[in-house]
Amino acid sequence: MNKRILVADDEPGIANPISYAFRREGYDVETVFDGEAALEKALSFKPHIAILDVMMPKLTGYEVCRKLDNRSNMGIILLTVKNDIVDKIVGLEMGADDYMTKPFDLRELIARVKALLRRLEKKEPEAETITAGALKIHLQLRTVLVEDRPVELTPKEFELLTLLLSHPERVYTRDELLDTLWGIEYAAGTRTVDIHMQRLRKKLGETGQLVLQTVFGVGYKAVVIRQ
Protein backbone atom coordinates (compact mmCIF):
# COMPACT_ATOMS: atom_id res chain seq x y z
CA MET A 1 0.00 0.00 0.00
CA ASN A 2 1.34 3.42 -0.95
CA LYS A 3 2.17 5.84 1.82
CA ARG A 4 -0.28 8.72 2.24
CA ILE A 5 0.86 12.34 2.24
CA LEU A 6 -1.29 15.36 3.13
CA VAL A 7 -0.14 18.70 1.73
CA ALA A 8 -1.73 21.85 3.22
CA ASP A 9 -0.71 25.30 1.99
CA ASP A 10 -2.91 28.27 1.08
CA GLU A 11 -0.71 29.07 -1.92
CA PRO A 12 -1.58 26.76 -4.84
CA GLY A 13 1.73 27.72 -6.46
CA ILE A 14 3.46 25.94 -3.55
CA ALA A 15 0.98 23.21 -2.62
CA ASN A 16 0.43 21.87 -6.14
CA PRO A 17 4.12 21.42 -7.07
CA ILE A 18 4.74 19.66 -3.74
CA SER A 19 1.79 17.34 -4.34
CA TYR A 20 2.88 16.66 -7.90
CA ALA A 21 6.42 15.82 -6.78
CA PHE A 22 5.20 13.30 -4.21
CA ARG A 23 2.76 11.70 -6.65
CA ARG A 24 5.67 11.20 -9.03
CA GLU A 25 7.45 9.42 -6.17
CA GLY A 26 4.51 7.01 -5.89
CA TYR A 27 2.72 8.41 -2.84
CA ASP A 28 -1.04 8.85 -2.41
CA VAL A 29 -1.47 12.60 -1.95
CA GLU A 30 -4.32 14.84 -0.82
CA THR A 31 -4.02 18.62 -1.16
CA VAL A 32 -5.93 21.28 0.80
CA PHE A 33 -5.59 25.04 1.06
CA ASP A 34 -6.65 26.07 4.59
CA GLY A 35 -6.22 24.88 8.15
CA GLU A 36 -9.76 23.65 8.76
CA ALA A 37 -9.64 21.52 5.62
CA ALA A 38 -6.21 20.24 6.70
CA LEU A 39 -7.55 19.11 10.08
CA GLU A 40 -10.62 17.44 8.55
CA LYS A 41 -8.55 15.70 5.88
CA ALA A 42 -5.95 14.56 8.43
CA LEU A 43 -8.68 12.86 10.47
CA SER A 44 -10.36 11.19 7.49
CA PHE A 45 -7.43 10.49 5.14
CA LYS A 46 -5.11 9.47 8.01
CA PRO A 47 -1.87 10.40 6.24
CA HIS A 48 1.43 8.90 7.24
CA ILE A 49 2.95 12.40 6.87
CA ALA A 50 1.21 15.79 6.99
CA ILE A 51 3.07 18.73 5.44
CA LEU A 52 1.52 21.88 6.92
CA ASP A 53 2.12 25.52 6.07
CA VAL A 54 2.26 27.59 9.25
CA MET A 55 0.38 30.68 7.99
CA MET A 56 -2.90 29.26 6.65
CA PRO A 57 -6.39 30.82 6.91
CA LYS A 58 -9.04 29.48 9.32
CA LEU A 59 -6.48 27.51 11.32
CA THR A 60 -2.72 28.01 11.34
CA GLY A 61 -0.37 25.11 10.89
CA TYR A 62 0.51 25.44 14.58
CA GLU A 63 -3.16 25.07 15.55
CA VAL A 64 -3.64 22.05 13.29
CA CYS A 65 -0.50 20.49 14.76
CA ARG A 66 -1.76 21.08 18.31
CA LYS A 67 -5.18 19.57 17.54
CA LEU A 68 -3.43 16.48 16.13
CA ASP A 69 -1.20 16.12 19.17
CA ASN A 70 -2.75 12.79 20.20
CA ARG A 71 -1.79 11.14 16.93
CA SER A 72 0.30 8.01 17.38
CA ASN A 73 1.77 7.34 13.95
CA MET A 74 1.41 10.50 11.85
CA GLY A 75 4.52 12.56 11.20
CA ILE A 76 4.20 16.34 10.79
CA ILE A 77 6.50 18.68 8.89
CA LEU A 78 5.83 22.42 9.17
CA LEU A 79 6.58 24.90 6.38
CA THR A 80 7.10 28.62 6.96
CA VAL A 81 8.63 31.72 5.41
CA LYS A 82 10.01 32.69 8.81
CA ASN A 83 13.51 31.75 9.88
CA ASP A 84 13.33 32.69 13.56
CA ILE A 85 14.42 30.13 16.13
CA VAL A 86 11.39 31.13 18.25
CA ASP A 87 9.03 30.06 15.46
CA LYS A 88 10.78 26.71 15.22
CA ILE A 89 10.53 26.18 18.97
CA VAL A 90 6.81 26.99 18.88
CA GLY A 91 6.35 24.35 16.21
CA LEU A 92 8.23 21.78 18.26
CA GLU A 93 6.20 22.61 21.35
CA MET A 94 3.05 21.97 19.30
CA GLY A 95 4.36 18.51 18.43
CA ALA A 96 5.90 18.91 14.97
CA ASP A 97 8.52 16.38 13.92
CA ASP A 98 10.40 18.56 11.44
CA TYR A 99 10.49 22.13 10.16
CA MET A 100 11.46 23.66 6.81
CA THR A 101 11.86 27.30 5.87
CA LYS A 102 10.67 28.59 2.49
CA PRO A 103 12.03 28.70 -0.10
CA PHE A 104 13.32 25.13 -0.07
CA ASP A 105 14.42 22.52 -2.54
CA LEU A 106 11.72 19.93 -3.22
CA ARG A 107 14.38 17.24 -3.24
CA GLU A 108 15.26 18.07 0.35
CA LEU A 109 11.59 17.96 1.39
CA ILE A 110 11.21 14.54 -0.24
CA ALA A 111 14.37 13.34 1.50
CA ARG A 112 13.09 14.55 4.87
CA VAL A 113 9.73 12.85 4.36
CA LYS A 114 11.44 9.57 3.46
CA ALA A 115 13.71 9.83 6.50
CA LEU A 116 10.74 10.50 8.78
CA LEU A 117 8.82 7.56 7.31
CA ARG A 118 11.79 5.27 7.94
CA ARG A 119 11.90 6.34 11.57
CA LEU A 120 8.15 5.82 11.99
CA GLU A 121 8.41 2.33 10.52
CA LYS A 122 11.46 1.29 12.50
CA LYS A 123 10.81 -1.66 14.78
CA GLU A 124 12.74 -2.64 17.89
CA PRO A 125 13.75 -6.29 17.31
CA GLU A 126 14.91 -7.19 20.81
CA ALA A 127 11.53 -7.28 22.54
CA GLU A 128 7.81 -6.80 22.01
CA THR A 129 7.33 -4.77 25.18
CA ILE A 130 9.42 -2.63 27.50
CA THR A 131 8.39 -2.18 31.12
CA ALA A 132 9.67 0.35 33.63
CA GLY A 133 7.60 0.39 36.80
CA ALA A 134 4.10 1.62 35.96
CA LEU A 135 5.19 2.36 32.40
CA LYS A 136 4.71 -0.20 29.61
CA ILE A 137 5.55 0.21 25.93
CA HIS A 138 4.08 -2.10 23.28
CA LEU A 139 6.59 -1.75 20.47
CA GLN A 140 4.65 -3.41 17.64
CA LEU A 141 1.45 -1.54 18.48
CA ARG A 142 3.35 1.68 19.23
CA THR A 143 1.28 2.20 22.38
CA VAL A 144 2.28 3.42 25.83
CA LEU A 145 0.50 2.70 29.10
CA VAL A 146 1.03 4.26 32.51
CA GLU A 147 -0.75 2.34 35.27
CA ASP A 148 -2.71 0.61 32.49
CA ARG A 149 -3.98 3.94 31.15
CA PRO A 150 -3.05 4.79 27.54
CA VAL A 151 -0.84 7.82 26.95
CA GLU A 152 -1.00 9.39 23.51
CA LEU A 153 2.44 10.34 22.19
CA THR A 154 3.56 11.89 18.95
CA PRO A 155 5.82 9.70 16.79
CA LYS A 156 8.91 11.58 17.89
CA GLU A 157 8.03 11.36 21.57
CA PHE A 158 7.48 7.60 21.18
CA GLU A 159 10.85 7.21 19.46
CA LEU A 160 12.64 9.19 22.15
CA LEU A 161 11.05 7.18 24.97
CA THR A 162 11.70 3.85 23.23
CA LEU A 163 15.32 4.64 22.46
CA LEU A 164 16.15 5.62 26.03
CA LEU A 165 14.31 2.69 27.63
CA SER A 166 15.78 0.22 25.15
CA HIS A 167 19.18 1.08 26.65
CA PRO A 168 18.56 1.82 30.35
CA GLU A 169 21.27 3.65 32.26
CA ARG A 170 23.06 4.60 29.05
CA VAL A 171 23.61 8.34 28.93
CA TYR A 172 22.83 9.95 25.56
CA THR A 173 24.15 13.38 24.78
CA ARG A 174 21.73 15.84 23.18
CA ASP A 175 23.77 15.69 19.97
CA GLU A 176 23.50 11.88 19.89
CA LEU A 177 19.73 12.02 20.34
CA LEU A 178 19.38 14.71 17.70
CA ASP A 179 21.45 12.73 15.21
CA THR A 180 19.78 9.39 15.97
CA LEU A 181 16.14 10.53 15.99
CA TRP A 182 16.17 13.36 13.49
CA GLY A 183 18.87 11.94 11.28
CA ILE A 184 19.73 15.21 9.56
CA GLU A 185 20.93 18.63 10.62
CA TYR A 186 18.01 20.29 12.36
CA ALA A 187 17.76 24.06 12.48
CA ALA A 188 16.50 24.29 16.06
CA GLY A 189 19.55 22.37 17.31
CA THR A 190 19.72 20.49 20.59
CA ARG A 191 16.91 22.66 21.99
CA THR A 192 14.72 20.31 19.96
CA VAL A 193 15.67 17.43 22.26
CA ASP A 194 14.96 19.44 25.43
CA ILE A 195 11.50 20.45 24.21
CA HIS A 196 10.53 16.89 23.33
CA MET A 197 11.80 15.65 26.68
CA GLN A 198 9.73 18.29 28.50
CA ARG A 199 6.60 17.30 26.60
CA LEU A 200 7.24 13.60 27.16
CA ARG A 201 7.74 13.97 30.90
CA LYS A 202 4.59 16.06 31.17
CA LYS A 203 2.50 13.43 29.39
CA LEU A 204 3.92 10.57 31.46
CA GLY A 205 3.43 12.43 34.74
CA GLU A 206 5.22 11.31 37.89
CA THR A 207 6.38 8.11 36.19
CA GLY A 208 8.08 10.15 33.47
CA GLN A 209 9.89 12.24 36.05
CA LEU A 210 11.23 9.06 37.69
CA VAL A 211 12.14 7.12 34.56
CA LEU A 212 13.56 9.90 32.36
CA GLN A 213 16.47 11.58 34.06
CA THR A 214 18.65 14.52 33.15
CA VAL A 215 22.41 14.08 33.36
CA PHE A 216 23.40 17.68 33.89
CA GLY A 217 25.89 19.04 31.44
CA VAL A 218 25.64 15.91 29.28
CA GLY A 219 22.18 14.79 28.23
CA TYR A 220 19.57 12.22 29.29
CA LYS A 221 19.17 8.63 30.38
CA ALA A 222 16.35 6.26 31.36
CA VAL A 223 16.25 4.13 34.46
CA VAL A 224 14.10 1.06 34.96
CA ILE A 225 11.97 1.42 38.07
CA ARG A 226 10.92 -1.89 39.60
CA GLN A 227 7.42 -2.12 41.03
Side-chain angles (χ1 to χ4, degrees):
M1 182 178 64
N2 292 341
K3 297 299 182 183
R4 298 181 297 277
I5 306 292
L6 172 63
V7 178
D9 195 303
D10 61 327
E11 297 183 52
I14 295 177
N16 290 333
I18 292 175
S19 299
Y20 176 76
F22 278 100
R23 289 191 182 100
R24 282 180 58 90
E25 291 287 322
Y27 296 94
D28 290 334
V29 183
E30 291 285 349
T31 311
V32 296
F33 303 100
D34 66 69
E36 283 187 358
L39 181 59
E40 292 174 2
K41 187 62 69 174
L43 296 175
S44 61
F45 182 53
K46 299 187 184 304
H48 296 89
I49 303 289
I51 301 170
L52 307 174
D53 181 39
V54 168
M55 300 307 293
M56 290 187 290
K58 299 185 180 179
L59 288 174
T60 67
Y62 292 142
E63 291 171 316
V64 175
C65 192
R66 178 175 56 80
K67 290 177 182 292
L68 293 173
D69 188 46
N70 287 337
R71 70 194 189 276
S72 60
N73 55 3
M74 180 193 307
I76 291 182
I77 297 177
L78 291 178
L79 307 178
T80 182
V81 295
K82 297 180 180 180
N83 195 27
D84 191 319
I85 188 65
V86 173
D87 295 301
K88 294 177 173 61
I89 289 173
V90 169
L92 292 172
E93 289 176 339
M94 293 297 179
D97 298 291
D98 205 345
Y99 205 110
M100 291 193 68
T101 303
K102 301 175 182 177
F104 53 82
D105 191 312
L106 273 174
R107 292 170 297 182
E108 181 181 357
L109 177 59
I110 291 170
R112 286 179 181 243
V113 165
K114 289 181 177 179
L116 182 52
L117 284 170
R118 285 194 297 271
R119 292 192 295 274
L120 294 178
E121 293 172 347
K122 188 175 182 180
K123 298 294 191 299
E124 179 67 35
E126 289 82 5
E128 293 184 358
T129 62
I130 298 174
T131 302
L135 173 65
K136 190 170 187 177
I137 306 172
H138 292 274
L139 296 167
Q140 295 292 330
L141 299 177
R142 293 183 68 90
T143 58
V144 175
L145 302 175
V146 174
E147 295 181 348
D148 294 324
R149 294 192 299 270
V151 178
E152 297 291 342
L153 302 181
T154 67
K156 197 64 64 184
E157 291 162 356
F158 181 87
E159 292 166 20
L160 177 58
L161 178 63
T162 300
L163 175 63
L164 291 173
L165 274 172
S166 295
H167 307 280
E169 300 297 341
R170 173 180 170 179
V171 178
Y172 283 87
T173 69
R174 290 172 175 82
D175 284 327
E176 284 180 310
L177 292 170
L178 189 69
D179 182 64
T180 301
L181 297 180
W182 278 260
I184 51 179
E185 184 178 353
Y186 198 79
T190 55
R191 177 65 176 148
T192 302
V193 177
D194 296 332
I195 291 170
H196 279 78
M197 183 61 73
Q198 291 167 11
R199 288 169 49 86
L200 185 54
R201 283 171 169 162
K202 182 177 180 181
K203 288 185 177 183
L204 296 176
E206 183 179 351
T207 298
Q209 299 296 328
L210 292 172
V211 171
L212 302 174
Q213 298 186 359
T214 300
V215 181
F216 292 100
V218 182
Y220 299 99
K221 71 175 183 178
V223 297
V224 176
I225 306 298
R226 305 297 179 186
Q227 288 184 305

